Amino acid sequence: MVLLTSDDHRWKLLGLGSASLLTLLYLRELAKQPWAPAAAEWKILQTLWCEGLLKVFFPTPEDGTSELSLIQRLRRVQELRSMLGLERFHQIDVARRSVLGTGWGKTTGTHHMQHLPTLVFRGDDQQLATDALRRSQRLLANPSEALKLQEEWERTPIIKDLVLVGGGHSHVHVLRMLGMEPMPGVRVTLVTRDVETPYSGMLPGHIAGMYTRRECHLDLNILARFARVRLIHATVEAIDVEQKQVLLSGDRPPIRYDVLSINIGSAPKVQGDAQSASGNVTPVKPIDGFGARWDALLERLPEWKGERRVLVVGGGAGGFELAMTMHARLTKELQKLGGATVKVGLVTRSALLPQHTLGARALAAKAMRDKGIELYSGYEVSHADAGQLHCTDGRTLSYDECIWCTEGSPQSWVSSSGLRTDEHGFLLVDQHMRCHKLTHDAPIFAGGDIASIDGHPRPKAGVFAVMAGMTLWLNLRATLRGEKLVTYWPQVSFLGLLNLGDGSCIASKGSLAMHGQWLWELKDWIDRRWMWNYSEGLPEMPTVAGSAAAPGSAVALAAGQRATALLRQRAMRCGGCGAKVGASTLAQAMRRVESFIPRQPLNKKAEVMLGAGDDAAVVDFLDAGRRFSTVQTIDAWPVLAGGGRRPRMVVIYELIN
């Protein structure tokens, strides 16, 4: 029998009291967070116990936990808790959508970027990023404030030119924020080679037939109209940093800039050699054109006979996902056609998934074995010719179709741009996302695959382009307004969800690696929610009012005294010729014009022959059996109306052959 002294009793009571207090505080925090339906919460608890806590004490080789130390297995539990927190929001969204019928992500009442301030910013920058999110939410909740800002943007003359080169993941966020929070005095121009831009996270799902092309592509026309920016459908050939100009292909005039941002992705290193050698090599990058190249490959399937061999070159996450999803899709399509079969192989110069954990590699290798996909590890491909891949050590691999998904390289004009690059030729940027200066003074920013952050090397993955979108927006805005820039700290550990093409995924984050069907459902929700925010989920902003705006925007103040003096001297500016014409006179003139312009039949579709996505185009259409070619340009006239309103009238000018 052990006798407890009074001191022992005191320590025991103190311990029980402290434990009770901590438990109470923990329960209070749990009560504040949203909860999923009971069945979903039970499944989340089961997953945490079976895949997390049990693996701390009973590790297995299948998911790589047996190779982890005790500390790493404990960290793995924390990574799992973080991912299950995301799954909780997913289940809440699914449950509420079934009742409310609203769009992806809208039912949770959370901003799709709300987690970033604490994730990629530090110190005071966290508050700046949080304030920016609150500011945009306040504009949505207060239409009069948003109306006033848009009115100021409408009436302020152009002081600065912001040019966005490329329509990548970072720039689509900039466009969304410009539509919600325009900058008075700034004219924005988007220059893009392709008007439809794919979301890289959904591309493997599109290959597997899980998504239509429309579901995984963003229409930059829609985003540009929402953001009220000029969209120029052209290819950039060079940047003149001395003259501050973006040079375009063809005979198009250069675009001048005061601030420039580049988000153009990358291309495979040996893409040119492979394409010139064989028509059966399909490069994945540039990613915005891969959909059409994949469709062309599918069109060749009826010509296949016997067993066909398809090789995917590149053992990273992109190559692995493509090998898995292509195997699933091609097997399904060939079974419908009957006769031919397919054998898929993955060729990599190093280990499979070299930038992921041992557990993710083990699960990926098992998934490939289960599907019968061959893995050629240690094969460094130098070039391709007709039906043969040639390796640096002399070995060859035969193929019928080849998909090229190697690590990227920058576009050719980047090396001669006058901007500093890293050892691989990508633009070198600081943690403000600014390109390192050589001889120029104008601020130039870059994000996505084309950029490498000095001192913080990261994989060329879409998740970093998405994360960089907020930093680019904050710093572009701050540069134009003469404000403090935020510092970007890219994630060291990020969540990777690898699509296997069969309705399941492999998750990889830090020391965590696991496989399951629920992970595919989580990935599908994340991707659809992201797409929704830049398409159907674009907020409805109020129309522009017409009362006089106070002279002197933040952009003008940042530009100097001459700009603010201009605003004061030109408070009453011309509204355009259309604003000087009375309504009845203008309507009468338009009726006369309509009388001799041929009408497009409702059951026919006009064909844009040249200039899709621009404000000028050649359009062919039929009328009474005749084909008319028209050159159309669009202009927007501000109309001075009563009641302080100032709507815009869109006028189409036509030249008929």
Side-chain angles (χ1 to χ4, degrees):
M1 180 176 179
V2 179
L3 296 177
L4 296 177
T5 66
S6 58
D7 288 339
D8 293 330
H9 281 292
R10 280 197 297 268
W11 282 111
K12 184 177 181 180
L13 290 174
L14 181 60
L16 288 173
S18 300
S20 301
L21 179 60
L22 291 173
T23 303
L24 179 60
L25 293 174
Y26 178 67
L27 291 175
R28 286 185 62 186
E29 288 299 315
L30 287 180
K32 293 179 183 178
Q33 71 179 24
W35 288 85
E41 287 292 346
W42 175 245
K43 185 177 292 186
I44 289 173
L45 184 60
Q46 284 182 312
T47 304
L48 179 61
W49 173 253
C50 297
E51 298 292 339
L53 297 174
L54 281 181
K55 294 297 179 73
V56 173
F57 305 102
F58 304 101
T60 59
E62 288 80 7
D63 57 4
T65 49
S66 59
E67 302 294 328
L68 302 177
S69 66
L70 177 62
I71 298 298
Q72 289 175 319
R73 294 199 294 272
L74 289 172
R75 289 176 181 168
R76 181 181 179 277
V77 174
Q78 184 59 34
E79 299 283 7
L80 179 58
R81 283 189 61 205
S82 174
M83 189 166 63
L84 290 175
L86 196 58
E87 171 64 8
R88 176 174 287 110
F89 275 112
H90 166 220
Q91 294 299 331
I92 294 172
D93 201 11
V94 170
R96 292 182 180 174
R97 285 185 74 246
S98 63
V99 176
L100 302 177
T102 52
W104 293 96
K106 192 172 182 179
T107 53
T108 57
T110 59
H111 194 286
H112 73 295
M113 289 285 187
Q114 72 168 6
H115 63 294
L116 286 191
T118 57
L119 194 63
V120 298
F121 301 119
R122 297 179 183 176
D124 294 340
D125 291 344
Q126 290 185 359
Q127 190 60 48
L128 286 174
T130 302
D131 290 343
L133 291 178
R134 290 173 179 169
R135 187 172 60 242
S136 63
Q137 291 172 337
R138 187 174 64 248
L139 289 172
L140 290 177
N142 190 349
S144 62
E145 186 176 348
L147 199 63
K148 183 178 180 181
L149 177 61
Q150 293 189 43
E151 176 187 82
E152 184 185 357
W153 172 85
E154 180 76 18
R155 287 188 173 274
T156 304
I158 297 171
I159 300 169
K160 295 286 187 179
D161 271 294
L162 167 62
V163 176
L164 308 176
V165 175
H169 299 355
S170 301
H171 277 174
V172 297
H173 180 70
V174 174
L175 291 171
R176 186 181 196 272
M177 298 310 297
L178 280 168
M180 297 172 63
E181 194 176 353
M183 289 185 284
V186 178
R187 176 172 58 187
V188 185
T189 303
L190 171 64
V191 183
T192 178
R193 183 190 56 216
D194 295 281
V195 177
E196 287 189 334
T197 182
Y199 177 43
S200 60
M202 298 177 78
L203 186 63
H206 174 59
I207 300 304
M210 297 171 170
Y211 302 118
T212 64
R213 176 180 174 82
R214 182 176 180 180
E215 286 177 321
C216 63
H217 282 72
L218 287 172
D219 189 340
L220 293 179
N221 268 312
I222 295 175
L223 267 170
R225 286 197 298 270
F226 172 75
R228 295 175 297 278
V229 308
R230 296 192 302 173
L231 189 152
I232 297 178
H233 188 193
T235 300
V236 174
E237 286 193 338
I239 293 176
D240 187 339
V241 297
E242 297 294 339
Q243 299 297 321
K244 301 179 183 178
Q245 291 180 340
V246 177
L247 308 182
L248 307 180
S249 60
D251 57 354
R252 305 194 98 169
I255 306 297
R256 186 190 174 282
Y257 65 84
D258 294 294
V259 178
L260 179 67
S261 182
I262 305 170
N263 183 210
I264 54 175
S266 60
K269 283 186 178 178
V270 291
Q271 172 186 331
D273 295 338
Q275 279 189 291
S276 63
S278 172
N280 289 348
V281 174
T282 304
V284 173
K285 296 181 179 180
I287 192 172
D288 44 22
F290 179 65
R293 296 189 290 272
W294 171 249
D295 291 341
L297 188 151
L298 292 178
E299 290 175 0
R300 297 197 293 268
L301 292 186
E303 305 171 4
W304 287 14
K305 305 296 180 183
E307 183 178 87
R308 305 284 288 189
R309 195 180 195 196
V310 178
L311 295 181
V312 178
V313 180
F320 169 73
E321 283 191 280
L322 285 178
M324 298 299 297
T325 53
M326 286 176 57
H327 178 272
R329 179 71 178 277
L330 293 176
T331 300
K332 179 181 177 181
E333 296 296 332
L334 290 174
Q335 286 176 348
K336 293 179 182 177
L337 295 171
T341 58
V342 64
K343 191 74 173 178
V344 177
L346 181 63
V347 184
T348 174
R349 67 179 180 181
S350 58
L352 178 64
L353 300 178
Q355 295 173 331
H356 290 260
T357 62
L358 289 174
R361 296 178 204 170
L363 290 173
K366 180 179 183 301
M368 292 180 65
R369 290 194 300 270
D370 292 344
K371 301 293 183 182
I373 299 175
E374 300 170 323
L375 176 61
Y376 298 94
S377 183
Y379 286 69
E380 184 174 0
V381 179
S382 59
H383 66 282
D385 57 25
Q388 293 282 333
L389 291 180
H390 296 266
C391 301
T392 54
D393 59 3
R395 290 180 293 180
T396 61
L397 293 171
S398 61
Y399 68 88
D400 297 294
E401 298 283 348
C402 180
I403 307 296
W404 210 274
C405 190
T406 59
E407 63 183 24
S409 62
Q411 283 77 354
S412 57
W413 59 264
V414 172
S415 60
S416 58
S417 63
L419 303 174
R420 283 183 58 191
T421 59
D422 66 5
E423 63 272 18
H424 302 293
F426 294 100
L427 292 173
L428 198 63
V429 300
D430 59 20
Q431 287 182 254
H432 301 307
M433 308 302 291
R434 292 178 304 190
C435 295
H436 285 278
K437 298 180 179 180
L438 290 179
T439 59
H440 65 95
D441 295 323
I444 299 179
F445 294 79
D449 282 4
I450 194 60
S452 294
I453 302 177
D454 195 6
H456 299 271
R458 294 293 184 272
K460 299 296 181 184
V463 61
F464 292 106
V466 171
M467 297 295 180
M470 175 179 280
T471 307
L472 270 181
W473 160 246
L474 293 175
N475 285 343
L476 288 172
R477 184 177 186 274
T479 298
L480 289 161
R481 294 169 59 90
E483 298 172 349
K484 177 183 180 295
L485 275 61
V486 297
T487 301
Y488 175 54
W489 295 89
Q491 295 170 274
V492 177
S493 172
F494 64 96
L495 175 61
L497 293 169
L498 307 178
N499 188 354
L500 301 187
D502 59 357
S504 66
C505 269
I506 292 174
S508 172
K509 184 180 182 184
S511 55
L512 173 67
M514 57 189 302
H515 167 258
Q517 182 177 348
W518 71 273
L519 292 169
W520 156 248
E521 296 170 355
L522 175 63
K523 175 178 171 57
D524 180 58
W525 174 73
I526 292 172
D527 292 340
R528 287 185 184 274
R529 186 186 184 206
W530 190 88
M531 288 289 292
W532 179 84
N533 276 285
Y534 299 99
S535 51
E536 295 94 341
L538 290 172
E540 294 184 9
M541 304 307 293
T543 57
V544 179
S547 58
S553 69
V555 174
L557 293 173
Q561 294 181 353
R562 291 185 60 186
T564 54
L566 173 65
L567 285 183
R568 293 191 182 96
Q569 293 170 6
R570 301 189 63 188
M572 184 64 181
R573 293 183 301 279
C574 174
C577 294
K580 301 174 183 177
V581 180
S584 58
T585 304
L586 187 59
Q588 186 178 2
M590 293 301 296
R591 282 196 296 270
R592 287 202 303 270
V593 172
E594 291 171 355
S595 65
F596 62 83
I597 292 181
R599 293 286 184 168
Q600 170 66 21
L602 294 178
N603 60 343
K604 299 292 184 180
K605 184 177 181 181
E607 184 176 2
V608 180
M609 307 301 295
L610 180 67
D614 286 347
D615 59 358
V618 176
V619 181
D620 282 6
F621 58 90
L622 296 175
D623 182 57
R626 296 178 58 197
R627 176 179 290 273
F628 292 87
S629 294
T630 68
V631 179
Q632 299 186 358
T633 68
I634 300 177
D635 195 5
W637 289 347
V639 180
L640 301 181
R645 296 293 177 180
R646 194 168 183 255
R648 298 183 70 87
M649 179 177 63
V650 176
V651 181
I652 300 178
Y653 306 91
E654 286 191 304
L655 297 177
I656 305 174
N657 67 342

